[in-house]
Amino acid sequence: MSPDSTVYAIGVLVVVVLVGLLLVFFPRTHRETDDATNVPPPERDLTDVETADLVSFFEGRDEVRAQRLLAPYVGRWLSLRVRLGAIAVTEESVSVSASDLTSKPPEADESTHGGTPLLCSFESGVASGIETRMPGDLGTLTGRIKDVRNGTVLLDACELKDVDPRPEGTLSAGVDPFPVPEPVPDPLPDPVAASVPIPEPLVEIPPPMKTGETPRPLTPAPRMFVNASPAYLLELCVDRSPTEVDEATEPYLGKWLDVTLIVSQVTDYAPGNCTFVNGRASHLSDDAPEARHATQDFACTFDRKAWLPHLERRRSGDAIRVVGELANIGSDGLRLIRCEIPTVTNPSHVNDA
């Protein structure tokens, strides 16, 4: 075989191999791409919780306890009957205020019923057409629970569908459904009444203090101490609903507790002029039934200026006697405020000696 024939045969063989590889590789890649694009979207975890219940978590509770009650619902979806309010359009998203009409009584009018306030965020790709809606429009809204702020439920990734046609008397009919009332002019002053002198106050005003006179200091209210052990207070939160816990712990809040703690951590927070001490009641052992799963039962707040010089010397494992006012009793422990260490008589000068 001549050299030219050999080169030609090798070239043909290379072309055949490349064509075979292309036929094997590209169909599979195309098939994998089709499979990836045809993956169904994840199912939405719908919940039937009422928005009024979400708002109620924050009524009469501190932020930590309220967020703990809200946490199981964050990220889950709601499908609601709503009435639209103000609409704010930006380049990236559309925010819409709305009222939840899902729990509206049958006899109530949807156009006037005041439901739970909502703040709904629409993604730019989903919000097409929402900016054409008007306040007062009714429809079905689907959204993901994000948070609750100031009595308003925040929803994101929202979608609006099944919008009712506007009734007669709306802007589509050329009539403003929310007319601005005309101002009522103030009545003219009565010249007779204006000439009548203002009567003297019936309450006797005490005379001003004399120069150099020292005001008498206010007498602080006596402290009422809790006649219950920390273990008993912790057990009030076991196997009870949040409402039952609030009812059981309410009589003890605002009263004072005297307890000896084993320190687990001391944290200085200068911006808030506070020093925090976390610890566990010294009589609770790790295997005690009332200790449960908690690693620290107490969070104590001290005035930083008065107590930091004494507390910064404390280490994990030290025993410390604390007197403080009960601010919160929860499943994660007790929170004391306005705390003091009764064995220290002049806390702000403990390092002066």
Side-chain angles (χ1 to χ4, degrees), residues 46 89 100 130 139 146 155 161 168 193 247-248 287 304 343:
L46 285 173
V89 182
D100 178 17
I130 187 68
K146 181 180 179 181
L155 304 175
K161 57 183 180 180
E168 294 296 328
E247 294 177 352
D287 56 353
R304 181 177 185 271
T343 56

Side-chain angles (χ1 to χ4, degrees), residues 83 99-101 104-115 136 138 167:
R83 182 180 66 250
S99 298
D100 178 17
L101 306 178
K104 177 190 68 67
E107 66 277 6
D109 185 2
E110 286 187 334
S111 62
T112 58
H113 178 69
L138 304 174

Side-chain angles (χ1 to χ4, degrees), residues 263 266-268 275-277 302-316 318-323 339-352:
V263 176
V266 177
T267 305
D268 179 33
T275 301
F276 302 101
V277 175
F302 290 80
D303 180 84
R304 181 177 185 271
K305 182 178 179 181
W307 294 102
L308 179 60
H310 184 78
L311 295 172
E312 64 183 358
R313 300 181 298 172
R314 297 293 180 174
R315 298 293 180 267
S316 178
D318 289 352
I320 180 175
R321 182 185 170 197
V322 175
V323 174
C339 293
E340 303 171 356
I341 301 176
T343 56
V344 179
T345 57
N346 194 5
S348 60
H349 298 88
V350 292
N351 285 339
D352 292 349

